[in-house]
Amino acid sequence: MKRFLVRKIRDLGLAIARLFASDLVDFRTGKKIGRALLLPWRGKIHVIGLENAVQVAFVPQERLTFWKQEIGFTAHPRPDFPHEPRP
């Protein structure tokens, strides 16, 4: 019963987060990655509600400035090595 209640609270929280979420776009390709709520807190960026794996990168700038940089998201690439079980 406790797991059921925790699961329902989690689902409700994710539904609210997706309601206020914004679209995340891959800054390299321009394709939509998904919807997520971004919350900056204590020097970290919390990504809530996103179902895909993403990488964070600084967006290239025309003019180099260190006081202001944009952060972009890109889809995490698939592993390029084969899955081989250990002997």
Side-chain angles (χ1 to χ4, degrees):
M1 182 68 178
K2 184 177 179 181
R3 284 185 184 173
F4 176 76
L5 183 61
V6 170
R7 180 75 175 188
K8 288 297 179 185
I9 292 172
R10 178 187 170 273
D11 291 344
L12 178 65
L14 284 175
I16 292 171
R18 288 189 181 118
L19 180 68
F20 294 105
S22 59
D23 292 337
L24 286 184
V25 177
D26 191 329
F27 79 95
R28 292 184 184 150
T29 63
K31 294 182 181 178
K32 182 179 172 182
I33 297 174
R35 289 181 57 87
L37 182 63
L38 303 174
L39 297 174
W41 182 260
R42 293 187 166 180
K44 297 178 184 178
I45 299 174
H46 298 274
V47 181
I48 300 173
L50 187 64
E51 297 177 355
N52 302 330
V54 293
Q55 282 183 327
V56 180
F58 289 109
V59 177
Q61 299 173 327
E62 290 182 22
R63 181 175 172 216
L64 186 63
T65 59
F66 294 104
W67 67 274
K68 182 185 109 181
Q69 294 187 0
E70 292 182 37
I71 295 176
F73 295 93
T74 184
H76 197 280
R78 305 275 308 163
D80 62 347
F81 52 88
H83 176 70
E84 297 176 1
R86 292 184 177 176

